[in-house]
Amino acid sequence: MAAAMGEIEDKLAELRQTFRSGITKSGAWRKNQLRALIELLQDNEDKIFKALHQDLGKHPVETYRDEIGLIKKSAKYALSCLDKWMAPKKRRLPLLFFPASGEVVSEPFGVVLICSAWNFPINLALEPLIGAIAAGNTVMLKPSELAVECASFLAETIPLYLDCKAIKVTNGGVDVCEQLLQQKWNKIFFTGSPRVGSIVMSAAAKHLTPVTLELGGKCPAILDTLSSPLDIKVTVKRIIGGKFASCNGQVCVGVDYILVEKKFAATLIESLKTTIKKFYGENPKDSKSISRIINEYHFERLRKLLKDPLVADAIVHGGLLDKENLFIEPTILLDPPLDAEIMTEEIFGPILPIITLNNIQESIEFINSRPKPLAIYAFTKDETFKKQIVSGTSSGSLIFNDTLVQQLCDVLPFGGVGQSGIGRYHGHYSFETFSHEKAIMQRSFFLELEPRYPPWNDFKMKFLRLAYDFDYFNLLLLLLGLKR
Amino acid sequence: MGSEEETKKKNEVFDAEAASLFVKELRGTFASGKTKSYGWRVSQLKSLMKMLNEREPDIVDALRQDLDKPELESSIYEVALLKTSIKSALKELKHWMTPEKAKTSITTFPSSAEIVPEPFGVVLIISPWNYPFLLSLDPVVGAIAAGNALVLKPSEVAPASSSLLAKLVGEYMDLSSIRVVEGAVAETSALLDQKWDKICYTGNSRVARIVMAAAAKHLTPVLLELGGKSPVVFDSGINLKVACRRMIMGKWGCNNGQACISPDHIITTKDYAPKLLESLKNELENFYGKNPLESKDLSRIVNSNHFARLSKLLDDDKVSGKIVHGGERDKNKLRIAPTLLLDVPRDSLIMSEEIFGPLLPILTVDKIEDSFDIINSGTKPLAAYLFTNNKKLKQQFVETVSAGGLVINDTAVHLAVHSLPFGGVQESGMGAYHGKFSFDVFSHKKAVLSRGFIGDVPVRYPPYTKGKLRLLKVLISGSLLGIIRALLGWSKA
């Protein structure tokens, strides 16, 4: 249901009024909303399973693992920490200002806009929402129109559980997005592509609105040569888990491509094939455990990536495309050309290029010559190599010996750098990203420092120099007349 | 660098191509890893310190040329504050650079996690004319401490300072990683066209929008330190003399009101205003004498543009009759005396833009609490000040007034407190710096999670089943008991 400009302005006016009323500032209100969100998820699990299945062919296990379960966990975590997060943080002040006190108080920005993506349509809408509510803001949520059933679900269900004067949902396409971006927000949180992220930030610049942009990129997996068959088995399972087993590769932190030494490639491919078969059977098309491509546009985009003859030649497994069912089977490529679109654009689908190198150390240079990714995955037991990757590459996050699990960590900031994003969230970072940290300094009237005031003279100059050096000893000497 | 080369460099046009080459060079240096080393960062900070120790007279002189800034203000608010910043960075740098361990939960057991700070890369710092040394080099301290390469673009409105900065950086700093570009709009535009890894801009909100829009093209994060109309609320029942003195220091004692955190205007009750006015007049005379236009302890107005701007504010019909103290001007010397105005209309020009000068309107209200409504009806300022002994009023102030920072019973001093983040909100800016916040704002905090090859739960992987769903639920919830129970009761998927 697309919204007209007038409707958007009315909704925004109400959100502003609600914020001004001060109701969202209370800890009790915020906790109630978080509890209501948990209730929403508990009561509507089946509906959510159904919506995700309709939009993306997601299996309930994936939906629970990547959407419902994560949000419940985040909401519970926020509930348990909220008092701590909301408490002012005392800060020590230099003796010079005695008597004085300092603290930092987190206050909500005001009215925030959250634009979420279609691949994890519940997670990417509600996870930022938790942060915005916890921080005391009022919210306009704009789900992605590409995940149609989920967008409807959110628009219908959120008003039934959450305070509809403070949290609103607006659905619609590009035109609605444009109208929303014309408004003045106190914060914008956007999840999506770098191209649109740039448009969002440009719009935000007109009002000096701070932004958090969760974007994407080509997340590489570095595979050091492993000797233990058990380690190889676990590695391959985790790689598949980070690719085909998560929305069939349509995930911003998914493994985009693999870097491996030439001598290890064959073993890797064999192992991948075996595990794919184990997970999805002989005919992955018939498996209920693998998601569909979101729509025709993306299906065609992916098909086009494989059309390049040099790329098609590089297929070593898979390659089946079924347009009617919007299904592409797990496909592995070996050494496609590095200048082909499949190696220059984020794939966001079930195609996994394997790039071979002479020496795995070259992976660092390979990654650094490309835009900074949202995540780098590295499978290795070599501690020296690990250190080189940590200090030699830059990415939103870096995971050793696994994929995707950083989502589960409430204590780690989740966000990009460079092309992969600005800002971060999850856990208390969500609270922070929606808060203005206001510094407060309090002084009292007694204990005046006369040398603070003009007219200026040499003594006052000396005094202030020592004061700003916090050289209390010499300051005392000066005051006692013992210092020249 | 010889004077011939210097002249040559000055005559070269700095256009987009030149800017692009600059950035390329700096990227090369950054890629070499040079700026990441602790040794490099310390050496550069120490060089900055040496520069300040050795060249303070030159700095004081440049500031006198550009702003007629009193020597004490230059020495203390530009040089001394900077030295404090450098000292603190040198002392804490190792600690700041150390990754922060993060506690992981049972859900990812076994695992270890830390947050590793890393430099963004090549940063652009654009600074203003009012505190040309402090506001250029304080961000530079942060950028260096965080391990970045950088370009500094000082303001052309303070030309002696800009020129001196370029010269000093050339003499003391590592030119392969730190450069100064002088110039005006054309040069700034050429710089803004480039792709930077971070941009720090201190100045006004109009230009800030241009900076952020340029940054948006390359998805460059920004730190914007802007301004606003920082109000001072005066309650009754205070030590009026001390309060007035502190207020005067924050206003005329800070570059003659030309500072982003200067008190812009006062709000007080109708009853208290006469007393307040008397005290202000007294203290102003104590500080600056009977002829403040002649006082050496006040900066001048920076240039004729701003002089004209401020004159226009005073000549406004709605306001010219409201002057209750001061108002004297000397166009040739670019001086305006400390001027107080009483009860100017809220829709006058002087109340609709940041004054940034030695004019101080006093607004009066019936009840002191009404002042908070007035403040909140405007755009969020960089700072807000309150003088009171009333605990309840203090609490209300903290709870209802949104600004970058608040100070109770003083003005401007929070600038010198490095344990407090210094920055604005919405119209007054985004991001914060000073102390460790400077290091943080120029760093990307990378999450690093390490797992072993054991500790894999089949429930993660397809083929998916109802049994896996049950186990997954308890696993994600992190309930240890739930996990054990589920594992014991769980049969083949």
Side-chain angles (χ1 to χ4, degrees), chain A residues 301-348:
Chain A
R301 179 184 63 78
L302 290 161
R303 189 211 287 275
K304 195 167 152 252
L305 292 179
L306 291 174
K307 252 199 173 131
D308 180 339
L310 291 171
V311 172
D313 277 346
I315 297 178
V316 292
H317 180 86
L320 181 91
L321 296 116
D322 175 0
K323 187 165 181 175
E324 202 188 313
N325 292 308
L326 289 177
F327 176 74
I328 298 178
E329 73 166 318
T331 301
I332 304 174
L333 307 171
L334 178 60
D335 282 325
L338 295 178
D339 58 357
E341 214 178 312
I342 199 156
M343 282 310 294
T344 58
E345 297 296 314
E346 185 176 0
I347 296 169
F348 224 70

Side-chain angles (χ1 to χ4, degrees), chain B residues 203-221:
Chain B
N204 67 65
S205 58
R206 186 189 62 83
V207 176
R209 283 170 164 80
I210 298 171
V211 171
M212 189 171 167
K217 293 199 181 87
H218 301 286
L219 291 169
T220 299

Side-chain angles (χ1 to χ4, degrees), chain A residues 25 45 49 59-62 64-65 69-70 73 91-94 97 103-104 107 109 184-186 194 197-198 201-202 204-210 213 215 226 231 234-235 237-238 241 245 278-280 289 372 379 381 389-391 393-403 405-406 408-409 411-413 416-419 422 424 429 436-448 450 452-456 460-461 464-465 468-470, chain B residues 36 56 70-72 75-77 80-81 84 87 100 102-104 107-108 113-116 118 120 195 205 208-209 212-213 215-222 224 226 238-239 242-243 245-246 249 286-288 297 380 387-389 394 398-399 401-411 413-414 416-417 419-421 423-427 430 444-456 459-465 468-469 472-473 476:
Chain A
K25 291 199 170 180
E45 219 173 81
F49 286 154
H59 189 281
V61 168
E62 263 198 52
Y64 193 87
R65 186 194 67 198
L70 279 185
K73 171 194 68 63
R91 291 279 176 260
R92 265 184 55 199
L93 301 184
F97 297 107
E103 63 181 19
V104 177
E107 62 175 32
F109 279 120
K184 175 176 165 169
W185 304 95
N186 300 115
S198 184
M201 189 171 168
S202 300
K206 295 198 178 84
H207 300 288
L208 290 175
T209 298
L213 305 175
L215 311 176
L226 300 162
D231 291 346
V234 168
T235 297
K237 278 207 281 188
R238 290 175 178 180
K278 196 164 141 218
F279 285 1
Y280 304 114
S289 297
K372 298 179 186 182
F379 290 82
K381 284 181 144 167
I389 298 173
V390 173
S391 58
T393 63
S394 182
S395 54
S397 48
L398 170 58
I399 320 295
F400 287 111
N401 303 330
D402 209 335
T403 60
V405 281
Q406 68 269 42
L408 294 171
C409 288
V411 296
L412 286 178
V417 61
Q419 291 291 102
I422 295 177
R424 57 210 185 154
Y429 297 104
H436 162 56
E437 302 290 305
K438 185 166 74 177
I440 301 169
M441 184 172 169
Q442 238 191 100
R443 299 207 65 212
S444 87
F445 288 102
F446 56 81
L447 277 202
E448 263 288 78
E450 287 303 318
R452 258 184 93 167
Y453 306 113
W456 305 129
K460 290 183 181 179
M461 174 76 98
L464 287 171
R465 268 194 214 279
Y468 276 95
D469 219 8
F470 305 117
Chain B
K36 285 186 173 186
E56 191 176 317
E71 188 189 339
L72 188 131
S75 291
I76 304 302
Y77 300 133
L81 273 184
T84 309
K87 263 210 195 112
E100 189 193 317
K103 206 168 143 239
T104 53
T107 318
T108 51
E114 57 183 18
I115 299 166
V116 174
E118 49 181 41
F120 278 116
K195 174 171 152 66
S205 58
R209 283 170 164 80
M212 189 171 167
K217 293 199 181 87
H218 301 286
L219 291 169
T220 299
V222 298
L224 303 175
L226 313 176
I238 55 173
N239 184 331
V242 170
R245 297 170 107 198
R246 290 179 180 182
M249 282 327 292
N286 284 339
F287 289 175
Y288 303 117
D297 294 335
K380 298 183 185 187
F387 284 96
T388 186
N389 275 320
K394 284 183 192 179
V398 169
E399 279 169 16
V401 172
S402 181
L406 303 180
V407 184
I408 296 173
N409 296 335
D410 211 328
T411 62
V413 283
H414 59 309
V417 177
S419 55
L420 293 173
V425 57
Q426 199 82 38
E427 206 70 20
M430 58 181 78
H444 164 56
K445 301 292 181 88
K446 182 165 73 179
V448 179
L449 179 66
S450 265
R451 299 205 69 208
F453 290 91
I454 57 159
D456 221 19
V459 70
R460 272 174 79 168
Y461 305 116
Y464 302 130
T465 63
K468 285 190 179 179
L469 183 59
L472 200 63
K473 287 189 178 187
I476 291 180

Side-chain angles (χ1 to χ4, degrees), chain B residues 373-404:
Chain B
D373 291 330
I374 296 180
I375 298 172
N376 286 334
S377 68
T379 56
K380 298 183 185 187
L382 187 54
Y385 306 107
L386 168 67
F387 284 96
T388 186
N389 275 320
N390 183 330
K391 210 167 169 186
K392 200 159 158 250
L393 197 67
K394 284 183 192 179
Q395 204 178 333
Q396 208 183 339
F397 181 63
V398 169
E399 279 169 16
T400 58
V401 172
S402 181

